[in-house]
Amino acid sequence: GAAGTAAMAAGEGLVSVDYEVFGKVQGVFFRKYTQAEGKKLGLVGWVQNTSHGSVRGQLQGPAARVRELQEWLRKTGSPQSRISRAEFCNEKKIEALEHKDFVILK
C-alpha cells in the first residue's frame, strides 16, 4: 500500500555521493543542465568544470533521486555533450543535507 511505500522512501534516507564526468562535457552547458536536472529532482549539491576537461561535483538527497541523477550523468547530460564515462565515489549515508541548493561553482 501507499503507506508502506512512503515508509520505504523515508527508510532509504539521504545519501551523498561525489561524481566526475568525462568526455566532451565542457563548453556544452553541461553544468547548467546538471543544475537544472538536480533541482528538478529536488537534490542539492554542486557542479564545476575541472582543469583537465571533466565536470565534477557532489550530489545529496534521497537515495532513489540520487540514483536517477547518476543515470542522467552517465547517459544523458546536456544535448551537445558526449559522455565517455561517469565515476562515482565517496557514497555515504547522511543525516541531513549539507548544501542549501544546487549550485554551479566556478
Side-chain angles (χ1 to χ4, degrees):
T5 313
M8 216 170 76
E12 263 198 49
L14 302 169
V15 298
S16 172
V17 65
D18 295 345
Y19 64 91
E20 188 165 3
V21 186
F22 300 85
K24 187 188 165 202
V25 292
Q26 289 191 11
V28 291
F29 302 107
F30 199 92
R31 292 172 302 169
K32 209 174 139 186
Y33 275 86
T34 301
Q35 179 190 44
E37 195 67 20
K39 283 178 182 255
K40 195 174 87 184
L41 289 168
L43 300 176
V44 299
W46 53 272
V47 57
Q48 76 179 155
N49 284 340
T50 69
S51 57
H52 52 271
S54 66
V55 168
R56 71 184 193 102
Q58 187 174 66
L59 309 172
Q60 293 188 347
R65 295 274 182 260
V66 167
R67 297 275 168 270
E68 281 186 56
L69 193 54
Q70 284 178 306
E71 272 301 285
W72 185 90
L73 286 166
R74 203 178 270 129
K75 301 199 171 111
T76 311
S78 66
Q80 258 83 57
S81 67
R82 292 285 173 270
I83 300 164
S84 55
R85 73 181 195 281
E87 292 180 357
F88 302 99
C89 63
N90 299 328
E91 185 169 323
K92 59 184 191 282
K93 281 191 174 359
I94 52 173
E95 291 301 310
L97 299 173
E98 294 159 352
H99 308 288
K100 293 259 184 292
D101 208 345
F102 205 106
V103 299
I104 295 174
L105 300 182
K106 294 285 174 251

